């Protein structure tokens, strides 16, 4: 038994290491690596998220989207602050579970069905989040440093244009509304793409050619009329 357990642990460690290294291989029953199936949307995501966004379980996906819609309407249309609503919802939950516990003890019924916390899963989730957060933070700081130095006119113009568009969008929609639009798009976009993949791909390819042509002309114009006339400060040399 001890040897079998050690073998299982080695197989599990090997499987986790291969998944971490390339993210595209899984282990079959014989312990050999085999490629995972490509996502229908072409976007790398976990199996659970893919099943959720592709509505493979309509009740689960519909429940989450419906809950998000109710939460948005509650926050947006009620007139109350987010903290007020959250505190009252938590108050109702605390009182509800307390009353449930008392009634369950009196009637000999099972307690409120809530899963026990798993410290290992929580630790693993925080490690994953910290690694991803560190990676994106380093990238953001690197780009911010390049923009702040002002030695790259093209990058500065791109950042200025992106901030201008973001300011215009935020003047029309609140952060809460933009978050809700993103949630609806996440649940609707992948499913629609899978249903009409061929038509969408053909239209996308035609539009991409036109956009690339216009962007190329715009880049040539900006490089010739603007960037070529901007002289960034010379870098200091020791």
């Amino acid at each position: 038994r001890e040897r079998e357990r050690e073998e299982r642990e080695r197989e599990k460690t090997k499987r986790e290491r291969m998944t971490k290294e390339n993210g595209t291989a899984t282990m079959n029953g014989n312990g050999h690596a085999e490629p995972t199936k490509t996502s229908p949307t072409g976007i790398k995501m976990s199996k659970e998220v893919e099943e959720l966004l592709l509505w493979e379980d309509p009740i689960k996906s519909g429940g989450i989207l419906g809950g998000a819609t109710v939460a948005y309407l509650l926050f947006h249309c009620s007139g109350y602050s987010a903290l007020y609503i959250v505190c009252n919802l938590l108050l109702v939950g605390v009182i509800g579970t307390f009353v449930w516990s008392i009634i369950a003890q009196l009637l000999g019924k099972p307690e409120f069905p809530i899963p026990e916390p798993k410290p290992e899963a929580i630790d693993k989730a925080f490690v994953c989040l910290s690694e991803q957060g560190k990676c994106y933070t380093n990238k953001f700081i690197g780009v911010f440093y390049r923009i702040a130095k002002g030695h790259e006119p093209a990058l500065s113009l791109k950042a200025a244009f992106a901030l201008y568009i973001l300011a215009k969008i935020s003047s029309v929609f609140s952060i809460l509304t933009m978050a809700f639009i993103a949630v609806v798009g996440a649940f609707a976009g992948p499913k629609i793409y899978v249903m009409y993949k061929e038509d969408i791909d053909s239209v996308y390819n035609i539009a991409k050619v036109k956009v690339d042509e216009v962007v190329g002309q715009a880049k040539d114009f900006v490089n010739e009329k603007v960037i070529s006339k901007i002289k960034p400060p010379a870098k200091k040399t020791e």
Side-chain angles (χ1 to χ4, degrees), residues 23-96:
T24 58
T26 56
M27 303 294 292
N28 58 20
N30 298 325
H32 299 292
E34 52 184 22
T36 57
K37 296 181 178 179
T38 305
S39 172
T41 60
I43 302 174
K44 185 178 179 180
M45 65 180 72
S46 65
K47 182 180 179 182
E48 293 78 8
V49 175
E50 181 180 337
E51 292 177 352
L52 186 66
L53 298 183
L54 293 180
W55 294 76
E56 296 193 9
D57 186 352
I59 297 177
K60 185 177 180 180
S61 299
I64 294 176
L65 182 58
T69 303
V70 171
Y72 170 74
L73 294 176
L74 190 64
F75 282 103
H76 186 70
C77 302
S78 64
Y80 296 107
S81 65
L83 183 61
Y84 177 85
I85 295 175
V86 170
C87 289
N88 279 277
L89 290 176
L90 292 176
L91 177 61
V92 172
V94 170
I95 295 176

Side-chain angles (χ1 to χ4, degrees), residues 161-171 178:
F161 179 75
L163 290 173
Y164 174 79
I165 296 298
L166 184 60
K168 287 296 183 181
I169 294 175
S170 62
S171 66
M178 288 190 289

Side-chain angles (χ1 to χ4, degrees), residues 93-223:
V94 170
I95 295 176
T97 54
F98 178 71
V99 173
W100 182 303
S101 177
I102 293 177
I103 295 176
Q105 291 179 8
L106 295 176
L107 301 180
K109 299 294 183 179
E111 297 181 351
F112 186 78
I114 182 171
E116 294 185 2
K118 298 180 179 179
E120 298 82 4
I122 296 175
D123 292 341
K124 186 177 180 180
F126 270 97
V127 169
C128 181
L129 289 175
S130 64
E131 290 295 330
Q132 293 182 356
K134 181 173 64 175
C135 177
Y136 288 113
T137 300
N138 289 332
K139 290 181 179 179
F140 173 78
I141 293 176
V143 174
F144 179 80
Y145 175 79
R146 290 165 57 194
I147 295 173
K149 294 293 289 184
H151 291 159
E152 302 178 52
L155 181 61
S156 298
L157 290 176
K158 289 179 182 179
F161 179 75
L163 290 173
Y164 174 79
I165 296 298
L166 184 60
K168 287 296 183 181
I169 294 175
S170 62
S171 66
V172 179
F173 302 105
S174 64
I175 296 179
L176 182 62
T177 300
M178 288 190 289
F180 178 68
I181 292 174
V183 171
V184 174
F187 276 89
K191 184 62 176 179
I192 294 174
Y193 176 75
V194 171
M195 294 173 62
Y196 306 99
K197 187 176 186 301
E198 295 182 358
D199 296 334
I200 293 175
D201 286 343
S202 62
V203 173
Y204 170 78
N205 292 331
I206 296 174
K208 186 176 184 299
V209 173
K210 296 295 183 181
V211 170
D212 290 342
E213 182 180 350
V214 173
V215 170
Q217 295 175 354
K219 284 183 177 180
D220 294 337
F221 176 81
V222 172
N223 289 333

